[in-house]
Amino acid sequence: MHYLKTLMLSVVLAGVAFAGPALSCRTWVVTPGSTFEALEPLRSIAMEADDGPAQMATARKRIADLRAAMRPADALSILKAGYWIAVMNAIGITKESDGPELIRKAMQLRPNDAEYQFFTALAYFEGGEKALYNKHWAKAQELAAKGSAVARNLKIYEKELSARTQ
């Protein structure tokens, strides 16, 4: 009986662990120089952003800082701001909702980059836009170099996201 209780608790906790925003709830495969590496510091602190008033204030300030750092032709600066805003909106820290739009704008600057397609797909997944999610997910798979960080993350996320839609 103890084994059954432990198993049930593990299943429940596993579901809770992946219940957060798809953009931030899972540790990524990160390689040097990848977009994943550039966003990892934001991802790693995202789930602590609502731990209290001080963390929430810091998270909101980071939104302002990332917006101020955006440069029109710099896809990564736009992606960082969009990523952070989308995650903070998903966990209720901000009502600002243009994060996914900024992620798409960054992808438009780098349309043949599998990592930008990956993040755009996740933004559409969060928004419940399944056809656009599928389009960008397929494009990310098409562009991903074998064994790259994005190829490995696609494989990991594919299983978990399909379980969320069932």
Side-chain angles (χ1 to χ4, degrees):
M1 186 60 132
H2 177 69
Y3 171 76
L4 183 57
K5 285 182 183 178
T6 302
L7 178 62
M8 288 174 59
L9 180 60
S10 297
V11 170
V12 168
L13 291 176
V16 170
F18 198 69
L23 283 165
S24 65
C25 62
R26 178 168 213 317
T27 302
W28 300 322
V29 173
V30 176
T31 56
S34 69
T35 304
F36 294 99
E37 179 185 44
L39 291 179
E40 177 57 24
L42 295 174
R43 190 217 54 82
S44 68
I45 61 171
M47 293 297 106
E48 297 170 6
D50 64 350
D51 283 355
Q55 291 87 343
M56 292 171 79
T58 299
R60 287 187 194 100
K61 182 180 180 324
R62 185 166 281 118
I63 290 172
D65 293 345
L66 289 167
R67 281 191 189 280
M70 285 192 316
R71 294 180 305 283
D74 180 15
L76 185 56
S77 69
I78 297 167
L79 179 64
K80 283 180 176 180
Y83 172 81
W84 188 252
I85 293 165
V87 172
M88 293 304 101
N89 179 274
I91 62 175
I93 301 273
T94 186
K95 292 185 182 192
E96 294 179 51
S97 60
D98 63 335
E101 179 183 326
L102 291 171
I103 292 170
R104 290 188 285 277
K105 182 177 179 181
M107 183 273 304
Q108 290 168 348
L109 293 170
R110 304 279 310 260
N112 294 316
D113 187 312
E115 292 175 322
Y116 283 79
Q117 292 289 337
F118 175 86
F119 287 108
T120 302
L122 291 183
Y124 279 121
F125 182 85
E126 286 297 331
E129 299 178 59
K130 190 170 183 169
L132 291 170
Y133 156 73
N134 287 331
K135 172 187 170 186
H136 291 282
W137 193 262
K139 185 73 171 175
Q141 289 176 317
E142 173 190 322
L143 294 170
K146 186 175 182 175
S148 66
V150 71
R152 293 161 51 199
N153 283 306
L154 283 162
K155 186 176 181 178
I156 293 166
Y157 265 80
E158 188 164 37
K159 292 176 189 174
E160 294 177 5
L161 292 178
S162 66
R164 279 181 148 194
T165 58
Q166 294 176 357

